[in-house]
Structure formats: C-alpha cells, structure tokens
Amino acid sequence: MTSMSRARVARRIAAGAAYGGGGIGLAGAAAVGLVLAEVQLARRRVGNGTSPHVPNADGLYGRTYTGPADAPLRLTMLGDSTAAGQGVHRAGQTPGALLASGLAALAERPVELRTVATPGARSDDLDRQVALVLSDPGPVPDICVIMVGANDVTHRMPPTRSVRHLSSAVRRLRTAGSEVVVGTCPDLGTIEPVQQPLRWLARRASRQLAAAQTIGVVEQGGRTVSLGDLLGPEFAANPRELFGPDNYHPSAEGYATAAMAVLPTVCASLGLWPAEEERPDASRREGFLPVARAAAEAASEAGTEVTAAMPSGPRGPWALLKRRRRRRVPEQEPTPATPSS
C-alpha cells in the first residue's frame, strides 16, 4: 500500500472514530476464514506463551539530582505488555525504567515512575487506566506514555473503535494537564514463522492502525512515535507471543530500542530537548505535512515523531514530522519512592 493510500484509509478510520462511525475492516470479510486458518496453524507451529511475570519498576529515579527546589517529574506508563515491560526479569530493563532514567539524566531532576499498563490490554482498557491515573490524589503526571495497538490487531478490534478509545484517553489526560506521547502499533508483519497471507495482512492492519492512531492522537494535542519494525527482531525471536494469551514480549534489547526511540519525544514534549533540534531538518526529510500524510509516512518508518503544527489548512490539520536522533542512556534500577508527608 502506498503512503497516499494509507493516508486516505487512516483519515477514514480517524473520521469514523471521531464521529461514531461503524467499524472499517482492516481485512475484507472474505479473508477472515483464511486468516483464522492461518492463526490456528501458527499456534500449532510456535507453541505456548511464557511467564506472565512483570517486574515492578515503579519508584524514584535520579535521586542524586534531588535538591530543595527539585520536585520530581512524574512519568506514567499506560497501555499493554510493551508499556508494562512483560518478559524481562529486572525492573531496570522495562521501558518505564529506561525512560525514567533517561529523563532524569537529561532533565537533571528526579523522576517518579508509575505504571498502570496491563499485559494483554487493548485500547478499550485505556478508559480504566486513565481513570486510575486521574483518581490519584496527587498531582497529575507531567508526562504520560502510552503503548498500545498490537492486541487490537490480533483480536480484530474494529480500528474506529480502537482509535476512539485512544483519542478519548489522550483528550482526558491532556485536559487534566499532562503531556502525552503515544508509541503507535508496532509492525506485526515482521514475524518470520507466520506464513502468507497472514503476515501481509498483519503488516497492513498494524500500519493502517498506527497511521490512524497518529491522526487521533495529534488532533487531541498529543505526540506519536512510530514503533514500526523497531521490534521486528523481538517478534522474530519470540513469535509464539503474537497468538499467546500474553501477546509479544520483547527482550531487554527490544525494550531498550523502543524506549530510546520514545525518549527524545518525551523530552521535547517537556521542553527539555535542544532547541536547535526542534527545527525541521530538510536533509533528514523532516517538515510540515497534512496530518494524514505525516501519519502514513511515520507508520512506514520506525522512530518517526508526529506532532501538531498548525490548526488547519486547505487540506485539513497539519503536523510536523521529525526523525529524531536516539541516544542510549545507562540502565538504572529504581530506588523506593519517598512517601509524601
């Protein structure tokens, strides 16, 4: 599918989500039987799931930066197993811990991490997760990171419904005063053991959903980062997770890759990224585009950021497409958060 075709489909999905339209199928009804047959074959070929253990990474990071005027930045992770960090054994290997460590180092302030993400969650679980975040008696998070979408595809949730729930979550968090960064649906077509046509359908479905997610998020004032095929090697190494009860579980290296793709956008949303890198760089194919076209291009290239740029234009809302440099930060373990007095 071309970028322009993906942009048109994404625009229709996002419009259906915004105006309460019915489900727009990611695969034709005639293909459903074939897809289900492929799923059953894939289940037999790739075996069972792995341990449901999720390390508890919540706590205070960057305690050495604490000073009399340095209240911790508050970071909250929402979404599915990718946001929770399922599949690794150490808290410091989870994406939340990696983001908190990196944010603390770049901001030179402590960061308090809270995770409400749930393995196996789909976008309709974001309603519950956001309620948990907003019911906390403390201040709202400075930044919320959402990673969601893979389970929507594997469970064939209508994309309009998926985008509607995600957009609602972003709107509620932004209204409460939190910045929001969304890691969009990863490319599920990278799983080698799964045969055609399921792999092709999975790639098309996940990229279409990622593009539609981008439109919905940007229109609500959030930013997106395309995970695309960043996790491709992890899907290939752990293919059984796609169809298992807990879905995919990237390795520590996979989570580090995803976290480092998201970290620059997290920092930029808080005004912590170098000002010279905020200007679009034409040599890296950055620039202002209609939001649907920016969303389609981002879905095709992992690590690409999309953020709102202009209220509207003759071709609809516009967005800034950025390809930020990723910087690796040292892994840290959390320290227990100090109870508020």
Side-chain angles (χ1 to χ4, degrees):
M1 177 179 288
T2 66
S3 177
M4 293 303 294
S5 297
R6 187 175 295 114
R8 287 193 294 269
V9 172
R11 193 182 299 114
R12 290 204 308 272
I13 293 171
Y19 298 108
I24 299 176
L26 292 175
V32 170
L34 180 58
V35 170
L36 291 177
E38 288 284 350
V39 168
Q40 294 300 324
L41 177 60
R43 282 175 171 159
R44 289 195 296 272
R45 291 185 61 193
V46 300
N48 299 318
T50 59
S51 169
H53 173 68
V54 179
N56 181 7
D58 290 4
L60 194 66
Y61 293 75
R63 186 182 290 276
T64 56
Y65 298 113
T66 302
D70 290 326
L73 291 169
R74 295 168 298 276
L75 165 65
T76 298
M77 302 293 296
L78 303 91
D80 57 22
S81 56
T82 308
Q86 185 169 8
V88 294
H89 302 291
R90 297 172 56 193
Q93 296 172 329
T94 64
L98 292 165
L99 286 171
S101 298
L103 181 56
L106 290 167
E108 297 186 346
R109 286 177 61 183
V111 174
E112 186 174 354
L113 172 66
R114 182 189 181 195
T115 304
V116 298
T118 304
R122 286 167 269 181
S123 293
D124 54 4
D125 190 55
L126 291 175
D127 300 345
R128 179 191 64 83
Q129 294 182 26
V130 170
L132 280 175
V133 173
L134 298 183
S135 65
D136 191 303
V140 298
D142 295 287
I143 179 75
C144 290
V145 174
I146 303 173
M147 296 180 179
V148 75
N151 299 330
D152 298 27
V153 174
T154 60
H155 289 79
R156 294 183 293 135
M157 177 183 286
T160 49
R161 181 183 171 198
S162 177
V163 173
R164 187 178 303 127
H165 284 289
L166 177 58
S167 298
S168 173
V170 174
R171 180 173 61 253
R172 292 169 64 192
L173 292 169
R174 292 289 292 131
T175 299
S178 179
E179 297 292 336
V180 181
V181 173
V182 175
T184 56
C185 182
D187 185 349
L188 301 181
T190 56
I191 304 168
E192 295 294 339
V194 178
Q195 299 301 306
Q196 300 289 13
L198 182 57
R199 285 183 62 196
W200 179 83
L201 290 169
R203 166 165 283 127
R204 186 180 72 163
S206 52
R207 289 190 175 187
Q208 284 181 2
L209 179 57
Q213 286 176 318
T214 295
I215 296 174
V217 169
V218 168
E219 288 181 344
Q220 298 301 327
R223 302 187 187 211
T224 63
V225 178
S226 169
L227 296 184
D229 58 3
L230 279 175
L231 300 178
E234 311 312 320
F235 282 116
N238 299 286
R240 61 185 177 277
E241 307 307 341
L242 177 61
F243 302 111
D246 299 318
N247 297 283
Y248 64 87
H249 303 149
S251 68
E253 290 77 12
Y255 281 129
T257 300
M260 292 308 99
V262 173
L263 179 60
T265 301
V266 167
C267 292
S269 70
L270 295 171
L272 299 172
W273 206 242
E276 62 271 17
E277 292 195 19
E278 292 304 291
R279 294 186 292 272
D281 184 345
S283 69
R284 297 168 61 191
R285 296 179 294 116
E286 297 179 346
F288 298 97
L289 298 168
V291 66
R293 183 178 163 195
E297 290 202 14
S300 301
E301 183 172 344
T304 304
E305 174 192 318
V306 179
T307 186
M310 305 176 191
S312 187
R315 297 165 68 183
W318 283 64
L320 173 60
L321 185 144
K322 293 280 295 178
R323 294 176 171 88
R324 297 187 184 275
R325 298 177 180 89
R326 297 194 292 279
R327 302 176 180 178
R328 188 170 291 276
V329 297
E331 177 186 317
Q332 297 182 27
E333 293 289 350
T335 55
T338 302
S340 301
S341 57

